Amino acid sequence: MSSSKKESMTLVVLSLVLVHPHIQILHLSSCPAYGNFFNNTSLVTVLTGTAFPFNMQGPIAGGVSLLNPTTIFIENGGDYRVNFVITDNTVVFGPNPVAFPHLPTVSLFLNNVQAPLEQANFGIEITQAEDRGCKPIVGDTILSIPDNSILELRNITTQGPITTIITCDSVGNNVQLSLFKLS
């Protein structure tokens, strides 16, 4: 190959890099970020104002990790879909009508602040002892999360005669939270 052809090929390659440098940047910034955290121990008792513990983690990527048993760390900010399931055990109350209504409520806390506009508050209402059992509290929302943030799922129950949440002691997980980066 002559030296003029080599120079020409080199210039073409350089111009492609100069014309489309964002292709590589887009590829780097679109790395997936997600995490799955759960608790599969027996009964877990969570007082009002405290966070639910996780004792296991599933697949994680992109800077999402379990910082301690109650706190999830998110290194790379963005919009994340966050969903969770908690099992609320009202069987432990027995048929005692004084324990009802039971109004367990949970919320996501981002950097120790409750998610805005109650967009992450979820709960159930069990009005009578006859309705007791193992009931799921399910939440699903999208949060804008800044870089280097922490996320917790807390019991925020303030109404009813019993504000503590006791999870079910059943086969499977009694607390589970997953998050997925959308953008």
Side-chain angles (χ1 to χ4, degrees):
M1 198 179 261
S2 72
S3 81
S4 65
K5 286 185 179 178
K6 286 182 184 175
E7 287 175 18
S8 173
M9 287 177 63
T10 303
L11 289 174
V12 169
V13 171
L14 287 176
S15 67
L16 284 174
V17 171
L18 293 174
V19 171
H20 299 290
H22 66 280
I23 292 174
Q24 186 172 4
I25 292 169
L26 277 174
H27 176 71
L28 291 175
S29 66
S30 65
C31 292
Y34 54 85
N36 181 38
F37 308 94
F38 52 98
N39 191 314
N40 61 3
T41 61
S42 58
L43 299 175
V44 175
T45 301
V46 181
L47 303 174
T48 295
T50 60
F52 287 86
F54 303 100
N55 70 335
M56 303 290 290
Q57 68 182 24
I60 59 170
V64 176
S65 61
L66 193 58
L67 189 61
N68 62 50
T70 61
T71 307
I72 297 165
F73 178 72
I74 299 106
E75 182 179 354
N76 301 310
D79 291 337
Y80 282 79
R81 180 178 179 187
V82 182
N83 59 54
F84 59 84
V85 177
I86 297 163
T87 58
D88 180 46
N89 185 347
T90 57
V91 174
V92 295
F93 302 156
N96 184 357
V98 177
F100 297 91
H102 181 58
L103 307 162
T105 310
V106 298
S107 187
L108 293 167
F109 280 69
L110 182 61
N111 297 319
N112 291 312
V113 176
Q114 191 172 354
L117 307 174
E118 298 186 359
Q119 71 183 32
N121 292 3
F122 296 90
I124 58 174
E125 180 176 339
I126 303 166
T127 58
Q128 303 174 52
E130 299 82 42
D131 297 331
R132 71 188 188 282
C134 186
K135 309 289 185 179
I137 301 172
V138 179
D140 195 343
T141 191
I142 296 174
L143 292 177
S144 293
I145 299 177
D147 289 348
N148 301 311
S149 289
I150 59 171
L151 183 69
E152 293 180 318
L153 180 61
R154 295 186 191 175
N155 175 1
I156 62 165
T157 307
T158 58
Q159 298 178 4
I162 298 175
T163 58
T164 299
I165 294 177
I166 301 170
T167 64
C168 297
D169 183 18
S170 59
V171 176
N173 302 319
N174 51 36
V175 178
Q176 184 275 333
L177 183 145
S178 295
L179 66 155
F180 312 89
K181 187 172 184 182
L182 304 173
S183 67

Short mmCIF file of all heavy atoms in Angstrom, two decimals, residues 28-81:
data_model
loop_
_atom_site.label_atom_id
_atom_site.label_comp_id
_atom_site.label_asym_id
_atom_site.label_seq_id
_atom_site.Cartn_x
_atom_site.Cartn_y
_atom_site.Cartn_z
N LEU A 28 -21.30 3.98 26.93
CA LEU A 28 -20.82 3.92 28.31
C LEU A 28 -21.90 4.36 29.30
O LEU A 28 -22.02 3.79 30.36
CB LEU A 28 -19.57 4.79 28.48
CG LEU A 28 -18.31 4.29 27.78
CD1 LEU A 28 -17.20 5.29 27.94
CD2 LEU A 28 -17.90 2.93 28.31
N SER A 29 -22.68 5.37 28.95
CA SER A 29 -23.67 5.87 29.90
C SER A 29 -24.93 5.00 29.95
O SER A 29 -25.74 5.17 30.83
CB SER A 29 -24.06 7.31 29.56
OG SER A 29 -24.72 7.34 28.33
N SER A 30 -25.10 4.08 29.02
CA SER A 30 -26.30 3.26 29.02
C SER A 30 -26.06 1.91 29.71
O SER A 30 -26.83 0.98 29.51
CB SER A 30 -26.82 3.06 27.60
OG SER A 30 -25.87 2.31 26.86
N CYS A 31 -25.00 1.80 30.48
CA CYS A 31 -24.76 0.56 31.23
C CYS A 31 -25.95 0.31 32.16
O CYS A 31 -26.44 1.24 32.79
CB CYS A 31 -23.48 0.66 32.03
SG CYS A 31 -22.01 0.73 31.00
N PRO A 32 -26.36 -0.92 32.28
CA PRO A 32 -27.51 -1.20 33.15
C PRO A 32 -27.17 -1.00 34.62
O PRO A 32 -26.03 -1.18 35.05
CB PRO A 32 -27.83 -2.66 32.86
CG PRO A 32 -26.57 -3.25 32.34
CD PRO A 32 -25.84 -2.13 31.65
N ALA A 33 -28.15 -0.59 35.37
CA ALA A 33 -28.04 -0.47 36.83
C ALA A 33 -29.31 -1.06 37.42
O ALA A 33 -30.41 -0.66 37.05
CB ALA A 33 -27.86 0.98 37.24
N TYR A 34 -29.15 -2.02 38.31
CA TYR A 34 -30.31 -2.65 38.93
C TYR A 34 -29.87 -3.39 40.17
O TYR A 34 -28.68 -3.61 40.42
CB TYR A 34 -30.99 -3.63 37.96
CG TYR A 34 -30.07 -4.67 37.36
CD1 TYR A 34 -29.79 -5.85 38.04
CD2 TYR A 34 -29.47 -4.45 36.12
CE1 TYR A 34 -28.94 -6.79 37.50
CE2 TYR A 34 -28.62 -5.39 35.58
CZ TYR A 34 -28.35 -6.56 36.27
OH TYR A 34 -27.50 -7.49 35.74
N GLY A 35 -30.85 -3.79 40.97
CA GLY A 35 -30.57 -4.58 42.16
C GLY A 35 -31.83 -5.26 42.65
O GLY A 35 -32.95 -4.76 42.45
N ASN A 36 -31.63 -6.39 43.29
CA ASN A 36 -32.74 -7.15 43.88
C ASN A 36 -32.32 -7.54 45.29
O ASN A 36 -31.30 -8.18 45.48
CB ASN A 36 -33.04 -8.39 43.03
CG ASN A 36 -34.20 -9.17 43.58
OD1 ASN A 36 -35.17 -8.61 44.06
ND2 ASN A 36 -34.10 -10.49 43.53
N PHE A 37 -33.14 -7.15 46.28
CA PHE A 37 -32.80 -7.35 47.68
C PHE A 37 -34.01 -7.97 48.38
O PHE A 37 -35.15 -7.60 48.10
CB PHE A 37 -32.43 -6.01 48.33
CG PHE A 37 -31.39 -5.29 47.53
CD1 PHE A 37 -31.75 -4.35 46.59
CD2 PHE A 37 -30.05 -5.59 47.70
CE1 PHE A 37 -30.79 -3.70 45.82
CE2 PHE A 37 -29.08 -4.94 46.95
CZ PHE A 37 -29.44 -4.00 46.00
N PHE A 38 -33.76 -8.91 49.29
CA PHE A 38 -34.89 -9.57 49.94
C PHE A 38 -34.49 -10.09 51.31
O PHE A 38 -33.32 -10.10 51.68
CB PHE A 38 -35.45 -10.69 49.06
CG PHE A 38 -34.45 -11.69 48.57
CD1 PHE A 38 -34.28 -12.91 49.22
CD2 PHE A 38 -33.69 -11.44 47.44
CE1 PHE A 38 -33.37 -13.84 48.76
CE2 PHE A 38 -32.77 -12.37 46.97
CZ PHE A 38 -32.61 -13.57 47.63
N ASN A 39 -35.52 -10.49 52.06
CA ASN A 39 -35.34 -11.08 53.38
C ASN A 39 -36.11 -12.38 53.40
O ASN A 39 -37.31 -12.40 53.16
CB ASN A 39 -35.84 -10.14 54.47
CG ASN A 39 -35.41 -10.59 55.84
OD1 ASN A 39 -35.53 -11.76 56.18
ND2 ASN A 39 -34.91 -9.67 56.64
N ASN A 40 -35.41 -13.46 53.69
CA ASN A 40 -36.07 -14.76 53.71
C ASN A 40 -35.96 -15.44 55.07
O ASN A 40 -36.06 -16.65 55.18
CB ASN A 40 -35.52 -15.66 52.60
CG ASN A 40 -34.03 -15.92 52.75
OD1 ASN A 40 -33.40 -15.49 53.71
ND2 ASN A 40 -33.46 -16.61 51.78
N THR A 41 -35.78 -14.63 56.12
CA THR A 41 -35.75 -15.19 57.47
C THR A 41 -37.18 -15.34 57.98
O THR A 41 -38.13 -14.98 57.31
CB THR A 41 -34.95 -14.28 58.43
OG1 THR A 41 -35.58 -13.01 58.48
CG2 THR A 41 -33.52 -14.13 57.98
N SER A 42 -37.32 -15.81 59.20
CA SER A 42 -38.66 -15.95 59.78
C SER A 42 -39.22 -14.56 60.09
O SER A 42 -38.82 -13.58 59.49
CB SER A 42 -38.58 -16.82 61.03
OG SER A 42 -37.70 -16.24 61.96
N LEU A 43 -40.12 -14.47 61.01
CA LEU A 43 -40.79 -13.21 61.34
C LEU A 43 -39.80 -12.05 61.50
O LEU A 43 -38.77 -12.19 62.16
CB LEU A 43 -41.57 -13.34 62.64
CG LEU A 43 -42.68 -14.39 62.69
CD1 LEU A 43 -43.25 -14.46 64.09
CD2 LEU A 43 -43.76 -14.08 61.69
N VAL A 44 -40.13 -10.93 60.90
CA VAL A 44 -39.36 -9.70 61.07
C VAL A 44 -40.30 -8.66 61.65
O VAL A 44 -41.39 -8.43 61.11
CB VAL A 44 -38.76 -9.21 59.73
CG1 VAL A 44 -38.07 -7.88 59.91
CG2 VAL A 44 -37.81 -10.24 59.15
N THR A 45 -39.90 -8.04 62.75
CA THR A 45 -40.72 -7.01 63.39
C THR A 45 -40.10 -5.66 63.09
O THR A 45 -38.92 -5.43 63.37
CB THR A 45 -40.77 -7.25 64.91
OG1 THR A 45 -41.34 -8.54 65.14
CG2 THR A 45 -41.62 -6.19 65.60
N VAL A 46 -40.90 -4.75 62.52
CA VAL A 46 -40.41 -3.43 62.13
C VAL A 46 -41.28 -2.37 62.80
O VAL A 46 -42.47 -2.24 62.51
CB VAL A 46 -40.42 -3.27 60.60
CG1 VAL A 46 -39.87 -1.91 60.19
CG2 VAL A 46 -39.60 -4.39 59.93
N LEU A 47 -40.67 -1.62 63.69
CA LEU A 47 -41.37 -0.55 64.40
C LEU A 47 -41.59 0.64 63.48
O LEU A 47 -40.85 0.84 62.51
CB LEU A 47 -40.56 -0.12 65.62
CG LEU A 47 -40.21 -1.23 66.63
CD1 LEU A 47 -39.29 -0.68 67.72
CD2 LEU A 47 -41.47 -1.82 67.23
N THR A 48 -42.57 1.48 63.82
CA THR A 48 -42.82 2.69 63.05
C THR A 48 -41.56 3.55 63.03
O THR A 48 -40.91 3.74 64.05
CB THR A 48 -43.98 3.49 63.66
OG1 THR A 48 -45.17 2.71 63.54
CG2 THR A 48 -44.21 4.82 62.95
N GLY A 49 -41.24 4.05 61.83
CA GLY A 49 -40.08 4.91 61.66
C GLY A 49 -38.79 4.18 61.36
O GLY A 49 -37.77 4.82 61.09
N THR A 50 -38.81 2.86 61.39
CA THR A 50 -37.59 2.12 61.10
C THR A 50 -37.68 1.42 59.75
O THR A 50 -38.75 1.24 59.19
CB THR A 50 -37.27 1.09 62.21
OG1 THR A 50 -38.35 0.16 62.31
CG2 THR A 50 -37.08 1.76 63.56
N ALA A 51 -36.50 1.04 59.24
CA ALA A 51 -36.40 0.45 57.91
C ALA A 51 -36.49 -1.06 57.95
O ALA A 51 -36.09 -1.70 58.93
CB ALA A 51 -35.08 0.88 57.26
N PHE A 52 -37.01 -1.62 56.89
CA PHE A 52 -37.09 -3.08 56.73
C PHE A 52 -35.70 -3.61 56.39
O PHE A 52 -34.98 -3.03 55.58
CB PHE A 52 -38.07 -3.45 55.61
CG PHE A 52 -39.49 -3.27 55.99
CD1 PHE A 52 -40.11 -2.03 55.84
CD2 PHE A 52 -40.23 -4.32 56.52
CE1 PHE A 52 -41.43 -1.85 56.21
CE2 PHE A 52 -41.55 -4.15 56.88
CZ PHE A 52 -42.15 -2.91 56.73
N PRO A 53 -35.32 -4.75 56.99
CA PRO A 53 -34.01 -5.32 56.71
C PRO A 53 -34.03 -6.27 55.51
O PRO A 53 -35.04 -6.90 55.22
CB PRO A 53 -33.69 -6.08 57.99
CG PRO A 53 -35.03 -6.55 58.48
CD PRO A 53 -35.99 -5.44 58.10
N PHE A 54 -32.88 -6.34 54.85
CA PHE A 54 -32.66 -7.31 53.77
C PHE A 54 -31.47 -8.17 54.18
O PHE A 54 -30.45 -7.65 54.61
CB PHE A 54 -32.35 -6.58 52.46
CG PHE A 54 -33.42 -5.61 52.04
CD1 PHE A 54 -33.27 -4.26 52.28
CD2 PHE A 54 -34.57 -6.06 51.44
CE1 PHE A 54 -34.26 -3.36 51.92
CE2 PHE A 54 -35.57 -5.17 51.06
CZ PHE A 54 -35.41 -3.81 51.31
N ASN A 55 -31.61 -9.48 54.07
CA ASN A 55 -30.50 -10.34 54.42
C ASN A 55 -29.88 -11.03 53.21
O ASN A 55 -28.91 -11.76 53.34
CB ASN A 55 -30.91 -11.38 55.47
CG ASN A 55 -31.85 -12.42 54.92
OD1 ASN A 55 -32.56 -12.19 53.95
ND2 ASN A 55 -31.86 -13.60 55.53
N MET A 56 -30.43 -10.80 52.04
CA MET A 56 -29.92 -11.42 50.81
C MET A 56 -29.99 -10.41 49.67
O MET A 56 -30.82 -9.50 49.70
CB MET A 56 -30.78 -12.64 50.43
CG MET A 56 -30.89 -13.72 51.49
SD MET A 56 -29.38 -14.63 51.76
CE MET A 56 -29.26 -15.55 50.25
N GLN A 57 -29.12 -10.62 48.69
CA GLN A 57 -29.25 -9.83 47.47
C GLN A 57 -29.14 -10.75 46.28
O GLN A 57 -28.39 -11.72 46.28
CB GLN A 57 -28.24 -8.70 47.41
CG GLN A 57 -26.80 -9.09 47.26
CD GLN A 57 -25.89 -7.88 47.27
OE1 GLN A 57 -26.22 -6.82 47.80
NE2 GLN A 57 -24.73 -8.02 46.70
N GLY A 58 -29.94 -10.43 45.27
CA GLY A 58 -29.89 -11.18 44.02
C GLY A 58 -28.93 -10.47 43.09
O GLY A 58 -27.98 -9.83 43.54
N PRO A 59 -29.20 -10.53 41.80
CA PRO A 59 -28.32 -9.86 40.85
C PRO A 59 -28.27 -8.35 41.10
O PRO A 59 -29.30 -7.73 41.38
CB PRO A 59 -28.96 -10.16 39.49
CG PRO A 59 -29.86 -11.31 39.72
CD PRO A 59 -30.29 -11.24 41.15
N ILE A 60 -27.07 -7.80 41.00
CA ILE A 60 -26.88 -6.35 41.10
C ILE A 60 -25.92 -5.92 40.01
O ILE A 60 -25.08 -6.71 39.57
CB ILE A 60 -26.35 -5.92 42.49
CG1 ILE A 60 -25.01 -6.59 42.78
CG2 ILE A 60 -27.35 -6.22 43.58
CD1 ILE A 60 -24.30 -6.05 44.01
N ALA A 61 -26.03 -4.66 39.58
CA ALA A 61 -25.12 -4.14 38.54
C ALA A 61 -25.17 -2.62 38.55
O ALA A 61 -26.11 -2.01 39.08
CB ALA A 61 -25.54 -4.66 37.17
N GLY A 62 -24.17 -2.02 37.96
CA GLY A 62 -24.17 -0.58 37.72
C GLY A 62 -24.09 0.29 38.95
O GLY A 62 -24.63 1.39 38.95
N GLY A 63 -23.44 -0.18 40.00
CA GLY A 63 -23.27 0.66 41.19
C GLY A 63 -24.41 0.57 42.19
O GLY A 63 -24.49 1.38 43.10
N VAL A 64 -25.29 -0.40 42.06
CA VAL A 64 -26.36 -0.62 43.03
C VAL A 64 -25.90 -1.73 43.96
O VAL A 64 -25.47 -2.80 43.51
CB VAL A 64 -27.68 -1.01 42.33
CG1 VAL A 64 -28.76 -1.33 43.35
CG2 VAL A 64 -28.13 0.09 41.39
N SER A 65 -25.96 -1.49 45.28
CA SER A 65 -25.49 -2.50 46.24
C SER A 65 -26.18 -2.32 47.59
O SER A 65 -26.79 -1.29 47.86
CB SER A 65 -23.98 -2.40 46.41
OG SER A 65 -23.62 -1.13 46.93
N LEU A 66 -26.04 -3.32 48.42
CA LEU A 66 -26.57 -3.27 49.78
C LEU A 66 -25.46 -2.72 50.68
O LEU A 66 -24.44 -3.37 50.89
CB LEU A 66 -27.00 -4.67 50.22
CG LEU A 66 -27.86 -4.79 51.46
CD1 LEU A 66 -29.14 -3.98 51.34
CD2 LEU A 66 -28.19 -6.25 51.74
N LEU A 67 -25.67 -1.50 51.18
CA LEU A 67 -24.67 -0.82 52.01
C LEU A 67 -24.62 -1.43 53.41
O LEU A 67 -23.56 -1.61 53.99
CB LEU A 67 -25.00 0.67 52.07
CG LEU A 67 -24.00 1.60 52.70
CD1 LEU A 67 -22.69 1.57 51.95
CD2 LEU A 67 -24.55 3.03 52.71
N ASN A 68 -25.79 -1.72 53.96
CA ASN A 68 -25.94 -2.40 55.25
C ASN A 68 -27.29 -3.12 55.20
O ASN A 68 -28.00 -3.00 54.20
CB ASN A 68 -25.79 -1.41 56.42
CG ASN A 68 -26.86 -0.34 56.43
OD1 ASN A 68 -28.05 -0.63 56.32
ND2 ASN A 68 -26.45 0.91 56.55
N PRO A 69 -27.69 -3.83 56.23
CA PRO A 69 -28.94 -4.62 56.11
C PRO A 69 -30.21 -3.83 55.80
O PRO A 69 -31.19 -4.43 55.36
CB PRO A 69 -29.05 -5.30 57.48
CG PRO A 69 -27.64 -5.41 57.95
CD PRO A 69 -26.97 -4.16 57.46
N THR A 70 -30.23 -2.52 56.00
CA THR A 70 -31.46 -1.76 55.74
C THR A 70 -31.29 -0.68 54.66
O THR A 70 -32.24 0.01 54.34
CB THR A 70 -31.95 -1.06 57.02
OG1 THR A 70 -30.95 -0.16 57.48
CG2 THR A 70 -32.30 -2.07 58.11
N THR A 71 -30.10 -0.55 54.09
CA THR A 71 -29.81 0.58 53.20
C THR A 71 -29.22 0.12 51.88
O THR A 71 -28.24 -0.61 51.85
CB THR A 71 -28.83 1.55 53.89
OG1 THR A 71 -29.35 1.90 55.17
CG2 THR A 71 -28.65 2.81 53.07
N ILE A 72 -29.84 0.59 50.80
CA ILE A 72 -29.37 0.30 49.45
C ILE A 72 -28.63 1.53 48.94
O ILE A 72 -29.11 2.66 49.07
CB ILE A 72 -30.56 -0.05 48.53
CG1 ILE A 72 -31.24 -1.33 49.05
CG2 ILE A 72 -30.12 -0.21 47.09
CD1 ILE A 72 -32.60 -1.58 48.48
N PHE A 73 -27.47 1.31 48.35
CA PHE A 73 -26.64 2.41 47.81
C PHE A 73 -26.78 2.43 46.29
O PHE A 73 -26.69 1.39 45.64
CB PHE A 73 -25.17 2.21 48.20
CG PHE A 73 -24.26 3.26 47.63
CD1 PHE A 73 -24.28 4.55 48.13
CD2 PHE A 73 -23.39 2.96 46.60
CE1 PHE A 73 -23.44 5.53 47.62
CE2 PHE A 73 -22.56 3.93 46.08
CZ PHE A 73 -22.58 5.21 46.58
N ILE A 74 -27.00 3.63 45.73
CA ILE A 74 -27.11 3.81 44.28
C ILE A 74 -26.04 4.80 43.87
O ILE A 74 -26.11 5.99 44.19
CB ILE A 74 -28.51 4.32 43.86
CG1 ILE A 74 -29.57 3.31 44.27
CG2 ILE A 74 -28.58 4.55 42.36
CD1 ILE A 74 -30.39 3.73 45.43
N GLU A 75 -25.02 4.30 43.18
CA GLU A 75 -23.89 5.14 42.77
C GLU A 75 -24.25 6.06 41.61
O GLU A 75 -23.90 7.23 41.60
CB GLU A 75 -22.71 4.25 42.39
CG GLU A 75 -21.48 5.01 41.99
CD GLU A 75 -20.31 4.10 41.65
OE1 GLU A 75 -20.41 2.86 41.84
OE2 GLU A 75 -19.29 4.62 41.19
N ASN A 76 -24.95 5.51 40.62
CA ASN A 76 -25.23 6.25 39.39
C ASN A 76 -26.68 6.72 39.37
O ASN A 76 -27.60 5.91 39.31
CB ASN A 76 -24.95 5.37 38.17
CG ASN A 76 -23.50 4.90 38.16
OD1 ASN A 76 -22.59 5.70 38.30
ND2 ASN A 76 -23.30 3.61 38.01
N GLY A 77 -26.85 8.02 39.40
CA GLY A 77 -28.19 8.60 39.44
C GLY A 77 -28.95 8.41 38.13
O GLY A 77 -28.39 8.03 37.11
N GLY A 78 -30.24 8.69 38.19
CA GLY A 78 -31.12 8.58 37.04
C GLY A 78 -32.54 8.32 37.51
O GLY A 78 -32.84 8.38 38.70
N ASP A 79 -33.41 8.03 36.57
CA ASP A 79 -34.77 7.64 36.90
C ASP A 79 -34.80 6.13 37.07
O ASP A 79 -34.37 5.38 36.19
CB ASP A 79 -35.75 8.06 35.80
CG ASP A 79 -35.91 9.57 35.73
OD1 ASP A 79 -35.66 10.25 36.75
OD2 ASP A 79 -36.28 10.08 34.66
N TYR A 80 -35.29 5.68 38.22
CA TYR A 80 -35.33 4.25 38.55
C TYR A 80 -36.76 3.82 38.82
O TYR A 80 -37.52 4.54 39.47
CB TYR A 80 -34.53 3.96 39.82
CG TYR A 80 -33.03 3.91 39.62
CD1 TYR A 80 -32.28 5.07 39.52
CD2 TYR A 80 -32.37 2.69 39.57
CE1 TYR A 80 -30.90 5.02 39.36
CE2 TYR A 80 -31.00 2.62 39.42
CZ TYR A 80 -30.27 3.79 39.31
OH TYR A 80 -28.91 3.74 39.16
N ARG A 81 -37.11 2.65 38.33
CA ARG A 81 -38.36 2.01 38.73
C ARG A 81 -38.04 1.19 39.98
O ARG A 81 -37.12 0.38 40.00
CB ARG A 81 -38.89 1.09 37.64
CG ARG A 81 -40.18 0.42 38.06
CD ARG A 81 -40.74 -0.45 36.98
NE ARG A 81 -41.97 -1.07 37.46
CZ ARG A 81 -42.62 -1.99 36.80
NH1 ARG A 81 -42.17 -2.40 35.63
NH2 ARG A 81 -43.71 -2.51 37.30
#
